[in-house]
Amino acid sequence: MPGGNGSVWVEFVFLAYPCRPELRALSFLGVGLLYALTVGGHVLVVAAIQADARLHTPMYCLLGSLSGVEVCYTATVVPHMLANLLQPQKTISLPSCATQMAFFIGLGSADCFLLVVMAYDRYVAICHPLRYPLIMTLTLCVRLVVASTLIGLVLSSQLVAFIFSLPFCQARGIEHFFCDVPPVMRLVCANSHSHERSVLAAATLAIAVPFCVIATSYGFIVAAVAKLRSAGGRRRAFSTCCSHLAVVLLQYGCCALTYLRPDSGCSPGQGQLISLVYTLGTPLLNPLIYTLRNSEVKGAIGRVLPRSCLRQGRARPIGKGLAPPHANPGAPKIPLG
């Protein structure tokens, strides 16, 4: 990659990590704990949906797919962040930076598109309940999940190819924790305003347009729910959509603050804080939001956890002086769910 003075360099340096060892250790523990909770929460949701045949429906298929995408989404940057907190040199090569950005933006875009698909699922379920089994089939859900992921990756690959085809100045320090679009674009030194407009157009296509589609679908949902005569029916319909709407506002709000405003309107420190929210905070809260308001998912998780604990207990070796599980035939059996 040519620099501003014609020189060639092959690495970026991250400048946002704390310099003091004790702060790096605390940051490592905090980020590692949040990452472990995030991955564990999503894996638990996917396992519960897979284990319970009653949850093999389009709505829960989309919910499990969202959890799978968010696990991959966080895995593109968080392990590298943890590694940088432990090593003195916080560098990344240009190909690695481009790859990290492509998958991070691509899976983040797929996350946004999946939220659109979930909004469409709720629209069909509430506005066209009799036709719902005919419209929203599992086959269609799988196709929509694959299409959302492919579209996100294609858009991100084109955006990353455009960014890394631009000339970079000789300064190679990224004021961030990973390779995100705004901090990398600050290193571009040729006609940056026109390039920022191109990036803004891509962000609008991936963020603003899906959000408008979601807002439109919820407009139809509210109009349909308002026509219901039963207060209980209205309450159940709104309860079904509240979890999804909370995730939408959290996800799109953070993305809009990062990608849909000019670079001059956000200091590097503010950008770093917002990026931590949508990299660690949003994926951590999403399974909590869905499970806390969904009795079926909570019940499935409650049935999965005892089975896992029971398998671990049976896999432990029998110590000296302890009787095997079958030594007492009169002991009560442990229920499996």
Side-chain angles (χ1 to χ4, degrees):
M1 181 72 65
N5 59 356
S7 62
V8 177
W9 44 272
V10 293
E11 286 185 332
F12 288 118
V13 179
F14 296 111
L15 305 177
Y17 290 93
C19 298
R20 297 172 59 182
E22 58 272 20
L23 290 180
R24 288 203 303 269
L26 289 174
S27 299
F28 179 84
L29 292 175
V31 173
L33 177 61
L34 291 176
Y35 183 57
L37 292 174
T38 299
V39 174
H42 284 292
V43 169
L44 194 57
V45 169
V46 173
I49 293 174
Q50 289 292 328
D52 196 333
R54 290 171 294 183
L55 300 184
H56 295 175
T57 61
M59 182 177 74
Y60 294 109
C61 171
L62 296 175
L63 178 58
S65 300
L66 182 70
S67 291
V69 168
E70 290 197 338
V71 168
C72 299
Y73 165 73
T74 56
T76 59
V77 295
V78 179
H80 190 253
M81 289 172 58
L82 293 172
N84 282 333
L85 287 168
L86 295 178
Q87 59 189 11
Q89 298 296 327
K90 288 112 171 86
T91 60
I92 187 171
S93 65
L94 264 74
S96 298
C97 184
T99 303
Q100 184 185 72
M101 185 187 294
F103 280 102
F104 180 73
I105 299 299
L107 293 172
S109 300
D111 199 49
C112 293
F113 295 142
L114 275 177
L115 292 176
V116 176
V117 176
M118 294 174 74
Y120 175 71
D121 174 74
R122 293 299 85 206
Y123 161 75
V124 177
I126 294 175
C127 297
H128 304 282
L130 299 179
R131 299 175 56 195
Y132 179 80
L134 300 176
I135 298 175
M136 292 302 298
T137 63
L138 286 175
T139 302
L140 178 61
C141 287
V142 172
R143 291 176 179 175
L144 291 174
V145 170
V146 173
S148 299
T149 305
L150 290 178
I151 292 173
L153 292 175
V154 168
L155 288 177
S156 70
S157 62
Q158 293 179 347
L159 176 63
V160 171
F162 167 73
I163 292 175
F164 282 85
S165 67
L166 301 174
F168 287 83
C169 300
Q170 186 157 358
R172 59 193 184 105
I174 299 178
E175 295 182 355
H176 208 52
F177 304 105
F178 55 90
C179 290
D180 203 358
V181 174
V184 173
M185 284 297 297
R186 294 191 188 104
L187 302 181
V188 175
C189 57
N191 194 12
S192 60
H193 292 293
S194 62
H195 300 322
E196 286 179 5
R197 287 194 292 269
S198 300
V199 173
L200 182 62
T204 301
L205 185 61
I207 299 173
V209 172
F211 181 78
C212 291
V213 174
I214 293 175
T216 302
S217 69
Y218 271 95
F220 286 112
I221 289 173
V222 171
V225 171
K227 296 178 182 178
L228 296 178
R229 296 180 180 180
S230 170
R234 289 195 297 267
R235 187 165 51 252
R236 286 193 299 271
F238 279 123
S239 178
T240 303
C241 300
C242 280
S243 300
H244 178 256
L245 192 57
V247 173
V248 167
L249 294 176
L250 191 61
Q251 177 78 11
Y252 280 90
C254 292
C255 291
L257 289 174
T258 302
Y259 301 106
L260 292 183
R261 65 175 177 177
D263 186 60
S264 58
C266 181
S267 66
Q270 291 175 331
Q272 294 161 16
L273 181 61
I274 295 172
S275 70
L276 289 178
V277 172
Y278 65 75
T279 304
L280 290 170
T282 305
L284 174 63
L285 291 176
N286 284 358
L288 295 177
I289 291 173
Y290 279 117
T291 56
L292 289 178
R293 295 189 58 86
N294 193 308
S295 58
E296 294 180 335
V297 177
K298 285 191 293 186
I301 291 176
R303 289 186 289 271
V304 167
L305 286 177
R307 291 193 183 103
S308 302
C309 296
L310 186 59
R311 292 193 191 101
Q312 292 177 1
R314 287 177 175 173
R316 293 173 185 168
I318 301 172
K320 183 178 180 181
L322 295 178
H326 57 273
N328 186 5
K333 296 181 180 180
I334 301 175
L336 295 181

